[in-house]
Amino acid sequence: MIAIGYDLVEHAPRHWNPRRDKKIVCIDSLPAAIDEHFIPDVELVGDISRSLVRLTRKSEPAPHPGGSARLRDTVRERFERAKDDPQAPLQPPRVLYELRRALGRRDILVSDVGLHKLWIGRMFPAYEPDTVLISNGLAGMGFALPAAIAAKLVHPDRNVVAVSGDGGFMMNAQELETAVRLGTAVVNVIWEDGGFGSITWKQEKRFGRHFGTEFGNPDFVRFAESFGIPAWRCETASEFAERLEDALATDGPSLIVVPIDYSPDIAIVGELGEEVEVE
């Protein structure tokens, strides 16, 4: 196991090293924090980028790509199959398929934090570096809208789409005013399910029930329109594809609300197996 800038809180070592039998190489800017399941055999302490550059210079070309071929093939097959998913209710793979079809290779997708982040992280194809931005680490909800504004300011020639859950969007919804004031043409796609889906999923998995994760939403379309922003609510895949095209052609911020059906989550995790288990 090669751990680069790894924080134990991200994915506890007891889950991936339960028998404490893995040889661990730790590359970080500080000495490793250790526990009974995470005791490095080798540590490289210093500037991470310089350590990686020097290691790369010493490394031989790999005879085959890293990672799990089964995992890649399963995800790729499920993504391609998404074009045949039902028109309604909209499910994550179909929404991501329509987003990928509408965006160019160098366009930018920014993910907020929630169940949608898991879908984007494991299924949305990225063809160029720095074109899919995801808040890991502290994983702050409300990241997508301000990050998308920043991305558009840096790359005004590219399309920028922010994907948020309804919970995460409401944590920084006031930044629509910033987008209007700065004239940043970012498309906000809100996956609406009336709850903190990721927290619900984790509570159900750990405790067999969930608590305190449902909430009510405003009318997002009227909310956006109150800022002078064009906005739409889409119930079907074809309507979403059409409105996404309209939004990408808009010279300013826009918003699309998509009621989302997260029910395929359990099926896809079962199909992929333990390799995608998330703590």
Side-chain angles (χ1 to χ4, degrees):
M1 174 65 72
I2 301 176
I4 305 173
Y6 170 68
D7 190 322
L8 274 65
V9 73
E10 274 294 285
H11 193 38
R14 69 179 183 276
H15 296 296
W16 53 264
N17 192 22
R19 294 184 295 275
R20 294 175 284 182
D21 57 351
K22 289 183 170 59
K23 181 172 287 190
I24 299 171
V25 176
C26 186
I27 304 172
D28 210 333
S29 56
L30 296 171
I34 64 173
D35 72 6
E36 60 180 326
H37 297 276
F38 187 77
I39 301 176
D41 294 87
V42 177
E43 287 191 65
L44 298 180
V45 181
D47 183 278
I48 294 176
S49 63
R50 291 188 179 185
S51 296
L52 293 175
V53 167
R54 294 190 67 179
L55 283 173
T56 301
R57 289 172 180 166
K58 295 288 187 181
S59 300
E60 297 288 335
H64 55 77
S68 166
R70 183 182 70 84
L71 182 59
R72 283 194 302 274
D73 291 344
T74 301
V75 171
R76 186 183 298 115
E77 189 275 333
R78 179 62 186 92
F79 183 75
E80 290 300 322
R81 201 169 70 232
K83 64 181 180 293
D84 300 317
D85 281 357
Q87 282 279 320
L90 278 161
Q91 297 178 347
R94 182 62 186 266
V95 177
L96 294 181
Y97 180 85
E98 298 297 343
L99 281 166
R100 183 66 277 176
R101 187 166 66 168
L103 295 175
R105 291 180 65 94
R106 298 180 69 250
D107 290 338
I108 298 171
L109 183 140
V110 184
S111 173
D112 210 82
V113 174
L115 275 182
H116 62 283
K117 184 185 84 166
L118 302 184
W119 278 103
I120 290 168
R122 69 192 179 195
M123 184 166 284
F124 189 78
Y127 301 126
E128 302 290 343
D130 300 324
T131 56
V132 179
L133 308 182
I134 297 177
S135 174
N136 282 323
L138 293 177
M141 297 178 72
F143 163 82
L145 175 51
I149 293 171
K152 187 64 177 179
L153 291 173
V154 173
H155 299 288
D157 58 322
R158 303 190 199 180
N159 291 316
V160 177
V161 175
V163 178
S164 304
D166 40 8
F169 179 78
M170 285 302 293
M171 293 186 181
N172 256 334
Q174 76 283 351
E175 296 302 334
L176 286 179
E177 188 279 332
T178 305
V180 171
R181 177 163 33 88
L182 298 179
T184 48
V186 297
V187 180
N188 294 276
V189 178
I190 303 173
W191 293 18
E192 184 183 51
D193 69 335
F196 296 115
S198 181
I199 299 171
T200 297
W201 182 65
K202 290 181 179 182
Q203 288 182 351
E204 291 279 0
K205 186 178 177 184
R206 180 165 295 184
F207 307 114
R209 63 187 182 90
H210 65 275
F211 174 79
T213 57
E214 287 100 1
F215 51 80
N217 282 315
D219 184 325
F220 286 117
V221 171
R222 292 176 64 186
F223 179 75
E225 289 174 345
S226 72
F227 289 95
I229 295 173
W232 306 272
R233 184 179 181 86
C234 300
E235 303 281 351
T236 67
S238 56
E239 186 182 9
F240 173 66
E242 179 182 352
R243 293 308 188 187
L244 180 59
E245 185 177 343
D246 293 339
L248 290 170
T250 299
D251 187 22
S254 56
L255 185 145
I256 303 173
V257 185
V258 179
I260 200 78
D261 173 19
Y262 278 119
S263 61
D265 256 80
I266 300 302
I268 191 75
V269 169
E271 187 176 353
L272 293 176
E274 295 180 358
E275 289 176 87
V276 296
E277 287 293 322
V278 178
E279 170 57 18

